[in-house]
Amino acid sequence: MTGQALDAVNLFGDEERLAGASTLALLVGLVSLLLRILRFGFVVDFMSHSVMGSFCTASGVIIATSQLKHVLGINIKRHKYWWETVYDLCSKLPEIDGATALLGFTLLAMLTFFKKWKSAGNEAKRSKSLIWRFFPKDKESYAFKSMKLCADLSSVLCVILGWVWGFIYRQAGINSVRLIEDSESNGFLFLLPNFDSKTPDLIGPAVMIAVVGFLETIAVGGKMANEKRYRYDANQELLALAAANCGGAFMGAFPITGGFSRTAVNSMFGASSPLAGALTSLIVVIAVYSLMLVVELLPLSALAPLIIHGAIGVTDFKAFVPTFQGNKLDFLIMVATFIVS
């Protein structure tokens, strides 16, 4: 949505887009603050669990689909609609890069394997399973604890293995696997948002981004709150979004919202308080000043599986079945929400 807003006001140069995105972030932050003052969070009370769940599922599908190009090694442009992305992917399947796909799908399979193993149940259930009976079952054994550690750190392992795999590719003369490459930055930048004649044209997109961003945030946040059984304040989310966007505007950031994939990964690892976000921020600061030269050599096909895996984590197609059995009208609303989203 940010890209489309900048395109609409004819901002195409790198410096122009950076300045325009920062201004847009500030406008989104101010709109979010206004919505908080008006206590706009009350709209959540009128959204059913099935609608929000369906919206989450659709968002997960969109996010996962958008990352397939990196796993397959296909170059496609950004599209406005999901079906256009799917059509472009399908039409370019003959262009799949084998080395990239091997790396990406192997890491995705590894992440899925560890997630399924970790949630396989107690020793009795594992013993009855056709697959998990062949893996460590005794939770007190060294093998089980070692494997659980690998499962907990599967995202880190994915990045490390992807980096090493990409290094081996380059040493073997295989250069078709795309890397993150030069970040063109020496650290964090502090910038003042730029207000000019094009700023009024960004107000409309800012309102839309603020509302959609809020709905995305409460969708994934509400889903986690329902699963973990804790209180969730939609108006507090508006305040957080306002602070994050206004703060980001002075650091060259584009508008942001609550992350589907990051929230899912956080939940998967057992994060249960805002301290997880604080630790993430600290690690990002350290990484920006110490790891960028390493990160630039990381294949995109090693990052995409993490995002896809997280996106799949917020989808819930199983919820459609009991809804169909219990309330046909609610089921139709779920399907409509999914298709439109």
Side-chain angles (χ1 to χ4, degrees):
M1 293 181 72
T2 299
Q4 291 165 12
L6 298 179
D7 291 345
V9 295
N10 299 316
L11 296 176
F12 298 109
D14 289 349
E15 294 297 325
E16 285 184 324
R17 290 179 80 81
L18 177 62
S22 298
T23 304
L24 190 59
L26 181 59
L27 293 174
V28 170
L30 294 175
V31 171
S32 299
L33 182 59
L34 177 61
L35 293 177
R36 170 63 182 87
I37 294 172
L38 298 175
R39 302 187 66 81
F40 184 74
F42 78 92
V43 299
V44 178
D45 297 332
F46 298 95
M47 295 182 183
S48 68
H49 171 70
S50 57
V51 167
M52 298 312 294
S54 186
F55 179 73
C56 276
T57 299
S59 298
V61 171
I62 292 170
I63 293 170
T65 305
S66 71
Q67 295 299 309
L68 283 177
K69 62 183 179 183
H70 298 309
V71 178
L72 297 172
I74 296 174
N75 289 319
I76 63 172
K77 65 179 182 179
R78 183 178 68 229
H79 293 289
K80 186 175 182 178
Y81 300 110
W82 173 80
W83 61 266
E84 291 176 326
T85 302
V86 173
Y87 176 80
D88 208 355
L89 280 171
C90 292
S91 63
K92 293 187 176 181
L93 284 179
E95 300 177 15
I96 291 177
D97 180 66
T100 301
L102 179 62
L103 168 58
F105 282 112
T106 300
L107 294 178
L108 182 59
M110 182 196 75
L111 291 171
T112 304
F113 167 79
F114 276 124
K115 179 182 179 180
K116 295 293 184 182
W117 176 84
K118 190 176 179 180
S119 59
N122 56 31
E123 185 174 351
K125 288 184 178 180
R126 292 174 187 270
S127 299
K128 295 177 182 178
S129 171
L130 294 175
I131 299 175
W132 307 125
R133 65 172 64 181
F134 299 107
F135 294 90
K137 300 181 288 294
D138 182 6
K139 294 185 178 182
E140 300 302 321
S141 67
Y142 177 78
F144 187 94
K145 291 179 179 179
S146 298
M147 197 164 176
K148 186 177 184 301
L149 180 64
C150 290
D152 291 339
L153 299 177
S154 57
S155 293
V156 178
L157 286 176
C158 180
V159 172
I160 294 174
L161 288 174
W163 192 95
V164 173
W165 199 326
F167 175 78
I168 294 173
Y169 270 156
R170 292 193 298 277
Q171 297 304 307
I174 301 174
N175 299 309
S176 59
V177 179
R178 292 179 59 200
L179 308 177
I180 291 179
E181 297 182 338
D182 189 6
S183 60
E184 298 182 356
S185 175
N186 294 320
F188 292 105
L189 302 174
F190 292 91
L191 305 170
L192 290 176
N194 181 37
F195 294 96
D196 54 27
S197 59
K198 295 182 179 180
T199 300
D201 295 329
L202 293 175
I203 295 177
V207 174
M208 185 65 68
I209 291 174
V211 173
V212 172
F214 170 62
L215 292 177
E216 284 198 23
T217 302
I218 62 172
V220 66
K223 176 181 172 64
M224 296 302 170
N226 284 329
E227 289 182 0
K228 308 296 183 181
R229 305 295 181 185
Y230 61 81
R231 183 175 171 274
Y232 187 67
D233 187 346
N235 285 305
Q236 189 69 10
E237 294 290 352
L238 279 170
L239 186 60
L241 290 170
N245 278 293
C246 287
F250 292 91
M251 300 189 72
F254 58 80
I256 57 91
T257 184
F260 271 84
S261 51
R262 259 200 58 195
T263 302
V265 172
N266 247 16
S267 176
M268 183 173 65
F269 287 147
S272 58
S273 79
L275 180 61
L279 290 174
T280 299
S281 300
L282 178 61
I283 292 172
V284 167
V285 171
I286 295 173
V288 164
Y289 287 102
S290 62
L291 293 177
M292 288 312 298
L293 292 178
V294 177
V295 171
E296 288 170 3
L297 297 176
L298 182 67
L300 290 171
S301 53
L303 285 179
L306 288 172
I307 301 174
I308 292 174
H309 194 249
I312 292 174
V314 300
T315 60
D316 187 12
F317 287 102
K318 293 180 180 179
F320 285 79
V321 176
T323 304
F324 175 78
Q325 296 171 339
N327 189 320
K328 299 296 189 295
L329 178 59
D330 212 18
F331 172 77
L332 291 176
I333 294 174
M334 280 187 75
V335 172
T337 302
F338 178 80
I339 292 174
V340 172
S341 298

